[in-house]
Structure formats: C-alpha cells, structure tokens
Amino acid sequence: MLGILTYVSKTEENPYRRFFRCEIGLKKKKEQHLFKWVDEALLDEIQRMHEMAEEIEDLRSSLKKTVEEAVIEHKKSGD
C-alpha cells in the first residue's frame, strides 16, 4: 500500500505550503486534477467529524426514544 504523498509549494503566493495532488495531476502539468492544500483538507476532515458526531447523537436519541416507546408498549400489553 502506498502512502499519501504531500508536496511543498514553491510559489510566491504560498511559499512552503503543503498540498496533495493526484497522479494524473503530476503527469499532466496543465491538469489541476484533485489538488488540495493540506491545511484545508484537515479542516474539512474536522468538519466531517463534527457532522458525523451530530448524526450519531441524533441516531442515539432516536434509538433511545424507540426503545422507550417499545418498553411502554410492552408494559401496556402485559397488564
């Protein structure tokens, strides 16, 4: 398995800023295929983790409500 390669910008606008670039982008110099700054990619991943945490909490709350409703219904049917 190959690791993820990062590169370092040598431009005046972004000196030494790290970025990702796919193989196609490397082979075709005019191609801007799948280019992303490393710092922006990290922020995107953090945002996705927050969104996933919210979805998990929503799922947990929904499951808890469903279980509580099932317990109440079971108690009613047992009376």
Side-chain angles (χ1 to χ4, degrees):
M1 183 172 155
L2 297 175
I4 297 173
L5 296 178
T6 59
Y7 301 90
V8 178
S9 172
K10 297 176 184 172
T11 64
E12 287 184 27
E13 302 87 31
N14 294 292
Y16 305 105
R17 192 172 179 194
R18 294 173 47 220
F19 63 93
F20 301 105
R21 193 167 182 194
C22 77
E23 293 285 327
I24 295 171
L26 288 173
K27 292 176 184 172
K28 298 179 181 179
K29 296 300 179 190
K30 293 183 181 179
E31 182 71 43
Q32 294 295 318
H33 192 257
L34 297 179
F35 168 92
K36 188 135 195 169
W37 296 113
V38 170
D39 56 342
E40 291 175 5
L42 290 173
L43 290 175
D44 289 348
E45 289 300 313
I46 291 168
Q47 180 61 35
R48 284 190 202 121
M49 288 177 65
H50 284 294
E51 291 168 2
M52 285 176 46
E54 290 172 1
E55 289 175 17
I56 290 169
E57 182 58 31
D58 291 345
L59 180 60
R60 189 190 70 75
S61 295
S62 176
L63 184 58
K64 182 178 177 183
K65 181 179 176 186
T66 301
V67 168
E68 288 171 350
E69 290 170 353
V71 168
I72 291 169
E73 189 62 35
H74 179 72
K75 285 181 179 179
K76 285 181 182 178
S77 65
D79 288 343

